[in-house]
Amino acid sequence: MKFYILAIVVVINITANAQMYVGSAYYPEQLSKERIDKDASLMQEAHLNMVRIGDFAWSALESEDGNFSFEWMDNAIHTLQKKGIQTLLCTPTAAIPKWMCDAHPDIMQVQVDGQRKAYGRRRHACYNNEAYCTYCVRIVRELAARYKETPAVIGFQIDNEMTTEDPYCYCENCRMRFVEWLQKKYKTIGKLNQSWGTTFWSETLNSFSQAWLPRRMDNPAIYLDYQRFFSDCTLDFYRMQRDEIKKIAPRMLCTTNVGGGGFVTTIDLYQLGKECDVLSIDNYPINCTVENLYGNNVGQPFEPSMVSFALQQIRGGRKENIWVTEEQVGRTALTQREIVPDGIVRLWTHQQLAYGCNMSVFFPFRAFESAHEHLMVGVVESDYVKRDKYQEIQQTAHEVRALYAKTGKLLPIARAAIIRDFDADWTFENGYTFCPDLKYLREVYAYYKALRSRSVMVDMVSPDADLSPYDCVIIPYLALVAPDFPEKIETKVKKGATVVMTCLTGVRNKEFHKFDGGVYQPLQRLAGIEIERQEALFGRKHNTLDYVDSTAICKYWFDKVKPVQATVLSRYNGAYFKDAPAITCNRVGDGKMYYVATVPEQKVIDQLMNVVISETSLKPIAHHASPLMEIAELQDMKGNSYLYLINFSGDLQQVVLNYPSNDVMTGEEWKAGIVSVNPMEYKVLRIKKQV
Ligand code: GAL
């Protein structure tokens, strides 16, 4: 009897906190009614409470121009709803029906070589094509009108991964939009010429209409503007659909899913975040790594900190939840880099919760029977057998919903921030970059990893972010800076913050022009240094430096620094700039400003972060030694502190906790000291002291 009362209480609690969504991507347009019926029961039994449907279903929704059929979708939504499963509806615009392409061949994007893309894949329609946009608006209106009163539909995912799969287009429509964008930005052609430096190589334009869409090896200032323009086009495409939905169905939450495991450089994610009710990420920890972004499909080993790096980027420092609209459950469609280990999907889902995600959507529920993604592993295969994947998902969904029912909304808290900038991405990726071997996000990650492997929580923020919550700010490779940036940093340091700034920060203004003296003078003054020369090394060449008690490798970029006020902490000792400072520190007001004049190997960054942590209030409330151990600090909405401990390793891990705590799920009490976490297990602790 007691057990039943408890069970009822738990169920009521879970329902009351329905904002923790755990579900799966589902493709009812490929399935019979009988299958959907049975799947709904399987999902319910697996504790799933939502599905994401409709992405890529355009031809099933509109088989011919204006010929709509929604009955199959109505049936799916209602069948699932009867089992307590809500729906996140996708607009189907990422894959166009063949009839549309046949009627309007110019819908297809044009590649950089001028060749129009052929039909047969997805994400290959041009955002600026009028016919495509008209069709998009019409289908979105139809969907919004049909489901605006359907309580089971919680919102819309707009399109699918708008930012991936070579989204650029070089058609004449895009060029005309670029011309308009430039006119709006520069007002006069003289200003544009001055900004782009067009007298160089005789590129002076007489009118805006002469502007062309640049390629990577064209003038870097034009390429930078093109990237900003393209990001704006993608945002406009999102806004166009969102505005239609909100006009018709204002209660619907609108999101869009960022692909590439969150590592994308084709859109300014800070801008996108502002436009979404919730921003979403597709989390593929095995397939989508930073190296993958740079085309090195090497199967980088799984690192929990790389996943949290991606999640924190999507959150962008906002005190908001984010959603995971796709989570890898096994082998994906195109590549088999690694076999997804048993039990790891469960831990990835916990990790998502630990970084403020209140939606987890396993991809896909049912393995596809044919076509492009026939190789993907699903929660279930083509039958109804509840095999190991299903059981893992069932356990996971039950755990995270029960946990959320106890804690309510949780958000990660950080007192350190890393500034990550999209202008920097675009600058480092143009054809005339400072050093082609220096991959921006890879090097930003080195600082993130150093702090996370010391259990320090880190927000990833824009250069425009409010820095007041942070005691420590890292500014890695922020190539382009706005005029007011140094003052913002100076104010921060004077008030007692520790700032670590690296080389290649402040080397150009926002128009991609040099500053007098190479690096923006106010930043040099703040660092207490004078930068006398800057050099790059490509390929396998490197330099070395002395730091703490060892020699380490440094690569790619080397500032020759003369200390003015700063103390020298490290010097080059190799073939280049021997004995010149490689790391310096300057006291400014109550704070400190470190300068790293090169790109050092990880151990140097680790050691520098040890120093930074020991001098600041960054000391974590718990720590551990294994890189496979995730420790995240969170807060609930009442300000209570929590620790999420997730052991991704096959060994028992011991975490040193600085405060007493109790286990949220079992109530078990822990004194300050050692807490053990079993292999491939997790714990959520409520910290007894406010921190
Ligand atoms: C995602 C995409 C899905 C599916 C999946 C396969 O990026 O959104 O539709 O293609 O990859 O790995």
Side-chain angles (χ1 to χ4, degrees), residues 56 122 160-161 257 282 284 326 332-333 363 373 376:
F56 316 123
R122 61 179 175 182
N160 186 73
E161 298 190 346
N257 53 341
D282 291 350
Y284 286 84
E326 290 180 27
T332 60
F363 190 95
E373 303 199 328
M376 291 221 53

Side-chain angles (χ1 to χ4, degrees), residues 389-621:
K389 281 285 170 216
Y390 178 89
Q391 286 161 18
E392 185 176 340
I393 297 313
Q394 185 175 41
Q395 182 188 356
T396 308
H398 182 259
E399 280 175 5
V400 292
R401 288 182 63 190
L403 187 74
Y404 204 86
K406 284 197 179 263
T407 61
K409 178 172 171 168
L410 291 174
L411 285 172
I413 40 165
R415 285 185 301 278
I418 293 182
I419 294 181
R420 179 254 193 276
D421 180 37
F422 287 88
D423 272 348
D425 273 302
W426 301 329
T427 299
F428 283 105
E429 285 310 301
N430 77 43
Y432 301 91
T433 186
F434 303 95
C435 174
D437 296 333
L438 193 167
K439 299 296 177 195
Y440 173 62
L441 224 46
R442 179 200 286 159
E443 300 308 334
V444 174
Y445 176 59
Y447 283 87
Y448 180 85
K449 185 174 168 176
L451 285 167
R452 282 309 291 131
S453 57
R454 280 149 189 77
S455 311
V456 172
M457 293 294 283
V458 188
D459 277 349
M460 304 295 300
V461 301
S462 122
D464 305 325
D466 168 19
L467 298 177
S468 57
Y470 308 110
D471 303 326
C472 172
V473 179
I474 315 283
I475 315 172
Y477 317 102
L478 184 66
L480 272 50
V481 294
D484 57 352
F485 184 74
E487 201 185 314
K488 173 176 177 171
I489 299 302
E490 185 170 356
T491 313
K492 188 80 207 146
V493 185
K494 279 187 173 158
K495 284 191 187 153
T498 299
V499 170
V500 179
M501 184 169 88
T502 76
C503 63
L504 287 167
T505 296
V507 284
R508 297 288 182 272
N509 68 14
K510 286 283 184 181
E511 290 183 291
F512 205 74
H513 283 230
K514 276 187 189 161
F515 293 106
D516 290 344
V519 172
Y520 203 13
Q521 290 292 339
L523 289 175
Q524 295 194 44
R525 275 199 297 279
L526 204 52
I529 55 172
E530 198 182 308
I531 295 170
E532 296 189 303
R533 233 172 90 198
Q534 298 177 302
E535 293 284 357
L537 281 177
F538 298 13
R540 298 221 175 115
K541 297 226 170 205
H542 63 254
N543 203 4
T544 51
L545 56 77
D546 279 329
Y547 185 50
V548 190
D549 45 17
S550 67
T551 293
I553 287 173
C554 48
K555 289 183 176 173
Y556 310 138
W557 190 262
F558 311 90
D559 286 340
K560 188 173 178 212
V561 166
K562 190 170 101 189
V564 179
Q565 270 179 337
T567 313
V568 178
L569 306 180
S570 158
R571 290 182 189 275
Y572 297 113
N573 70 2
Y576 309 94
F577 297 160
K578 193 165 170 39
D579 296 330
I583 304 176
T584 58
C585 178
N586 193 33
R587 280 195 165 279
V588 184
D590 294 334
K592 279 184 177 176
M593 176 94 174
Y594 289 87
Y595 188 73
V596 186
T598 180
V599 185
E601 67 175 294
Q602 187 74 46
K603 74 172 181 186
V604 174
I605 300 174
D606 287 347
Q607 284 160 334
L608 181 59
M609 291 305 121
N610 283 340
V611 175
V612 167
I613 294 165
S614 69
E615 290 174 353
T616 59
S617 62
L618 290 185
K619 286 158 211 68
I621 54 180

Side-chain angles (χ1 to χ4, degrees), residues 270-478:
Y270 301 117
Q271 296 295 334
L272 183 61
K274 284 185 205 154
E275 301 291 338
C276 295
D277 294 316
V278 190
L279 188 53
S280 303
I281 176 177
D282 291 350
N283 190 23
Y284 286 84
I286 298 278
N287 280 53
C288 299
T289 65
V290 167
E291 286 309 313
N292 186 52
L293 168 70
Y294 296 117
N296 305 324
N297 300 330
V298 289
Q300 229 173 335
F302 167 68
E303 289 177 354
S305 56
M306 186 167 290
V307 174
S308 69
F309 182 53
L311 297 172
Q312 290 291 66
Q313 266 198 113
I314 298 296
R315 214 166 51 75
R318 288 181 301 274
K319 292 278 159 254
E320 305 284 352
N321 285 126
I322 55 174
W323 284 351
V324 173
T325 33
E326 290 180 27
E327 179 183 348
Q328 177 166 21
V329 296
R331 177 182 185 174
T332 60
L334 294 175
T335 46
Q336 172 76 344
R337 306 240 171 82
E338 186 59 86
I339 294 173
V340 172
D342 288 342
I344 206 166
V345 178
R346 171 176 171 242
L347 298 189
W348 286 336
T349 313
H350 281 287
Q351 190 186 22
Q352 289 164 187
L353 202 61
Y355 284 89
C357 304
N358 62 347
M359 176 184 284
S360 288
V361 178
F362 303 107
F363 190 95
F365 184 71
R366 184 166 279 293
F368 303 108
E369 291 196 10
S370 59
H372 302 259
E373 303 199 328
H374 66 105
L375 291 172
M376 291 221 53
V377 165
V379 177
V380 289
E381 289 303 309
S382 45
D383 51 23
Y384 302 96
V385 181
K386 298 171 204 165
R387 298 191 180 83
D388 51 359
K389 281 285 170 216
Y390 178 89
Q391 286 161 18
E392 185 176 340
I393 297 313
Q394 185 175 41
Q395 182 188 356
T396 308
H398 182 259
E399 280 175 5
V400 292
R401 288 182 63 190
L403 187 74
Y404 204 86
K406 284 197 179 263
T407 61
K409 178 172 171 168
L410 291 174
L411 285 172
I413 40 165
R415 285 185 301 278
I418 293 182
I419 294 181
R420 179 254 193 276
D421 180 37
F422 287 88
D423 272 348
D425 273 302
W426 301 329
T427 299
F428 283 105
E429 285 310 301
N430 77 43
Y432 301 91
T433 186
F434 303 95
C435 174
D437 296 333
L438 193 167
K439 299 296 177 195
Y440 173 62
L441 224 46
R442 179 200 286 159
E443 300 308 334
V444 174
Y445 176 59
Y447 283 87
Y448 180 85
K449 185 174 168 176
L451 285 167
R452 282 309 291 131
S453 57
R454 280 149 189 77
S455 311
V456 172
M457 293 294 283
V458 188
D459 277 349
M460 304 295 300
V461 301
S462 122
D464 305 325
D466 168 19
L467 298 177
S468 57
Y470 308 110
D471 303 326
C472 172
V473 179
I474 315 283
I475 315 172
Y477 317 102
L478 184 66

